[in-house]
Amino acid sequence: MPNSKTNSTVDGSRQFEREEYDAIVIGAGFAGLYAVHKLRDQLGLSVRAFDVASDVGGTWFWNRYPGARCDIESFHYSYSFSEELQQEWKWSERFAGQPEILKYLNHVADRFDLRRNIQFNAHIVSAVFDETASRWDVTTDTGVQARAQFIISGAGNLSVAKDLEFPGRETFTGEVHSTGAWPHEGLDFTGKRVGVIGTGASGIQVIPEIAKQAAHLTVFQRTPNYATPIGNAPMDDEFEHEVKSNYREYRTRSRNHFLGVPYNDVQPSALAVSEEDRRRTYEERWKQGGFRLFTDSFGDLLVNKDANDTVAEFVRMKIHERVRDPKVADLLAPKDYPYGTKRPPLETDYYEAYNRDNVTLVDIKGSPITEITPTGIKTADGGAFELDVIVLAVGFDAMTGPLLNMGIVGRKGLKLTDKWEDGPLTYLGLTINGFPNLFLITGPQSPSVLYNMPLAIEDHVDFSTDAIRYMRERGMETIEPTAEAEQAWVEGSNAIAEATLLPGTDSWYMGANIPGKPRKCLVYLGGAPTYRGICDEVVAKDYDGFVLAGAESNTPLPVA
């Protein structure tokens, strides 16, 4: 249990107490739940997690729109830390939908009794490091004040929605909903004229579902995507038995794969085989579904433009095969950026939705939206679209947005917003110079979103809690990367990115979807196996690149 001290802050008639913990966890999704378990049950620390939601689930609590589904197979998009959990949980589909993933996370919270350490309906508005005490002081929007030696942020990578760029939203007399904050009671589109703005991953999932119900659906597309079939199906009992009988092997193979899945059929180069063999490979991966085409066809698709052109043309061909109207197919087929330089969305009947009489595609790159009116949407070419409902699938301020939204202040009053004014600066994507004892789970410049997130989360939480255990066994108060280590990591991460095709594409990987956001690669592209090896080496060298300081003077001490 925490220690509590009376605090002088008074809000009306309420007087708040400052709660003191060993560690504070931000978020109650995959990362937050595992962090609470590790800190409390394995390290024996006092811990409190805070989440703005009313229950566990993280992104799967909020994204309840029709069609929301994971793009990693269910068996692999799950925790690996408990063999009992792996064996007892039964997935119903190859790729789990949002309700089932949320049910799974609720099961985890119940099984390990995690809710008693989580405060819901609480948004962190400030986290300030007290150099004198070597503690973090955290305040929520509900007035709760808490102090802890360590903060582990599981705030997520896609949890802060992108601001709507179109004027007039407040004048619209119909309903406006966001895929990232979908009403829990659901929505009925029967007989309604619906407009969806955005054709990223969320839009591609929700559009076919709304099309089945709405009187008319108008899709406003700025940038088409290379969407490929997910290949979902009911879980096969024989396959389930095979995975559960060999889960350890599957997890090892996953952790040794760039994407964190147990694929092992990738060929070196799309240019080293005949056109016939290349086409055969692409057809096989297309039919297998999931990310097979992206990560298990040829290994040079993200580094060689000529190789990428072959798969990009293959996907364009498939789009034209599935969409009856050639003009609509042409609008849906990307041409001005390489395949895979945006996260390739996975779909079910997405392209077929445009064959329906009640679906219209509007190109807002050629004719942008100028305003939202009381009755609908206007575009620059004079188009006026009468709507009853607007659905926003406009994406997120990815990677850095959630961290910059919490008022984090480090040593000497340094604000994280100022530190990252020109882009994120981290060491290993996990820690920040000037911000001691702060651990970023799947932070910017880590593999994160180009890897299987639950496995990445376990890796990062394990690194963070192992460091905390190391410190406490030696009576140390702070751990912080050196400026030199941080600079070297940033430069190395950027250099790897420049060797790929990603920097040439405007994507949220590059922060390019947010006006004014520094254009920097937000993901470590060296691959999770390489990254994990680097982290292991850092630990083996007694936390190379970090300064650890002692309790009395808070000055650097030699590491034992």
Side-chain angles (χ1 to χ4, degrees):
M1 296 295 293
N3 296 318
S4 296
K5 294 183 179 180
T6 301
N7 188 281
S8 59
T9 300
V10 176
D11 179 8
S13 61
R14 296 182 298 166
Q15 184 167 336
F16 298 109
E17 293 184 336
R18 184 176 69 194
E19 303 169 353
E20 296 194 358
Y21 301 93
D22 295 317
I24 288 172
V25 172
I26 302 171
F30 270 98
L33 293 179
Y34 183 53
V36 169
H37 171 65
K38 285 282 291 191
L39 291 163
R40 186 194 71 187
D41 300 334
Q42 296 190 19
L43 271 67
L45 304 185
S46 62
V47 56
R48 173 66 69 191
F50 294 96
D51 197 297
V52 68
S54 61
D55 207 342
V56 302
T59 189
W60 300 107
F61 175 91
W62 296 105
N63 289 266
R64 299 175 182 235
Y65 58 86
R69 187 173 300 280
C70 186
D71 55 13
I72 298 285
E73 284 97 328
S74 309
F75 274 121
H76 313 307
Y77 189 82
S78 58
Y79 291 118
S80 70
F81 71 87
S82 167
E83 178 62 18
E84 293 79 8
L85 176 62
Q86 291 187 141
Q87 294 298 325
E88 72 192 17
W89 186 260
K90 185 176 178 64
W91 295 102
S92 68
E93 294 181 281
R94 181 184 172 196
F95 291 86
Q98 177 272 333
E100 189 166 16
I101 299 173
L102 185 59
K103 184 178 179 182
Y104 170 74
L105 291 171
N106 273 275
H107 171 75
V108 172
D110 292 339
R111 192 188 197 284
F112 297 96
D113 189 22
L114 301 176
R115 283 188 180 82
R116 62 185 169 91
N117 291 85
I118 305 171
Q119 182 164 337
F120 297 108
N121 301 305
H123 170 60
I124 291 177
V125 295
S126 72
V128 180
F129 187 71
D130 181 341
E131 291 188 73
T132 303
S134 296
R135 293 295 184 270
W136 283 95
D137 290 321
V138 169
T139 304
T140 74
D141 59 349
T142 57
V144 172
Q145 297 186 358
R147 167 169 282 203
Q149 184 178 4
F150 303 100
I151 291 181
I152 293 185
S153 173
N157 303 120
L158 302 173
S159 58
V160 172
K162 177 183 176 182
D163 288 336
L164 182 65
E165 302 168 15
F166 314 116
R169 172 178 171 176
E170 69 283 355
T171 70
F172 183 60
T173 57
E175 302 173 46
V176 179
H177 300 285
S178 169
T179 53
W182 202 258
H184 290 195
E185 65 275 13
L187 295 170
D188 184 1
F189 297 106
T190 302
K192 295 182 178 179
R193 300 165 298 176
V194 183
V196 174
I197 302 175
T199 54
S202 298
I204 285 170
Q205 288 184 331
V206 79
I207 284 166
E209 299 301 317
I210 295 178
K212 297 173 186 176
Q213 195 177 74
H216 194 88
L217 171 62
T218 305
V219 177
F220 298 87
Q221 172 190 271
R222 180 157 51 191
T223 305
N225 263 289
Y226 292 97
T228 60
I230 193 169
N232 190 37
M235 185 61 68
D236 180 79
D237 290 341
E238 185 176 340
F239 178 64
E240 179 184 20
H241 176 74
E242 157 65 20
V243 172
K244 287 188 174 181
S245 298
N246 299 279
Y247 232 140
R248 180 170 303 207
E249 178 189 346
Y250 275 102
R251 296 297 194 181
T252 299
R253 286 168 52 194
S254 294
R255 284 195 155 93
N256 288 323
H257 186 275
F258 181 90
L259 189 69
V261 287
Y263 301 161
N264 57 6
D265 294 326
V266 67
Q267 301 172 55
S269 173
L271 305 178
V273 298
S274 68
E275 183 176 350
E276 181 181 1
D277 287 344
R278 184 169 58 238
R279 174 66 179 269
R280 183 184 303 112
T281 296
Y282 288 153
E283 289 284 0
E284 289 174 353
R285 303 300 185 268
W286 179 272
K287 292 176 181 176
Q288 289 172 322
F291 282 125
R292 291 276 187 176
L293 182 66
F294 177 42
T295 64
D296 203 38
S297 56
F298 298 100
D300 59 348
L301 298 183
L302 286 184
V303 295
N304 187 310
K305 180 62 165 58
D306 291 337
N308 192 285
D309 286 344
T310 67
V311 69
E313 181 55 35
F314 174 80
V315 177
R316 286 192 288 266
M317 176 197 69
K318 287 294 188 181
I319 294 171
H320 276 271
E321 287 178 358
R322 294 171 61 183
V323 180
R324 288 197 295 263
D325 187 330
K327 292 182 180 179
V328 174
D330 205 46
L331 285 175
L332 290 168
K335 304 175 189 65
D336 56 359
Y337 67 93
Y339 168 77
T341 55
K342 296 175 182 280
R343 186 177 176 95
L346 301 183
E347 53 81 28
T348 300
D349 296 331
Y350 172 66
Y351 293 108
E352 285 73 16
Y354 295 96
N355 295 330
R356 301 176 63 103
D357 293 336
N358 69 325
V359 177
T360 301
L361 178 65
V362 177
D363 175 24
I364 58 172
K365 186 170 185 178
S367 184
I369 292 174
T370 54
E371 65 175 320
I372 295 178
T373 70
T375 59
I377 290 176
K378 285 187 176 181
T379 54
D381 61 358
F385 302 88
E386 301 292 308
L387 302 170
D388 302 304
V389 183
I390 295 175
V391 173
L392 305 175
V394 294
F396 299 90
D397 185 353
M399 309 298 291
T400 56
L403 295 163
L404 296 174
N405 194 39
M406 292 187 290
I408 298 175
V409 181
R411 290 191 189 274
K412 297 180 173 59
L414 176 61
K415 297 179 180 179
L416 187 60
T417 51
D418 293 334
K419 167 90 174 182
W420 285 3
E421 182 179 9
D422 296 321
L425 302 170
T426 75
Y427 181 45
L428 305 175
L430 286 168
T431 57
I432 310 169
N433 174 255
F435 297 77
N437 297 354
L438 172 64
F439 297 94
L440 316 177
I441 307 305
T442 65
Q445 296 160 344
S446 73
S448 58
V449 293
L450 278 178
Y451 189 55
N452 180 342
M453 288 296 284
L455 296 189
I457 284 165
E458 287 183 335
D459 288 345
H460 294 186
V461 171
D462 288 347
F463 181 96
S464 304
T465 54
D466 285 348
I468 291 171
R469 186 198 304 272
Y470 183 97
M471 293 171 61
R472 292 178 71 86
E473 288 174 349
R474 291 159 177 77
M476 295 173 175
E477 284 289 290
T478 60
I479 181 170
E480 178 184 355
T482 67
E484 294 75 16
E486 180 179 82
Q487 181 179 359
W489 182 256
V490 173
E491 290 176 354
S493 184
N494 289 340
I496 294 172
E498 290 298 327
T500 75
L501 302 175
L502 266 72
T505 296
D506 288 337
S507 70
W508 60 260
Y509 287 155
M510 299 297 301
N513 66 321
I514 304 297
K517 187 170 181 173
R519 199 177 190 284
K520 304 285 185 180
C521 188
L522 301 174
V523 189
Y524 175 78
L525 295 172
T530 299
Y531 172 84
R532 191 179 304 107
I534 293 171
C535 290
D536 289 345
E537 185 176 358
V538 166
V539 174
K541 293 182 177 179
D542 292 327
Y543 291 92
D544 186 36
F546 288 97
V547 171
L548 290 95
E552 293 184 1
S553 63
N554 199 26
T555 56
L557 294 176
V559 177

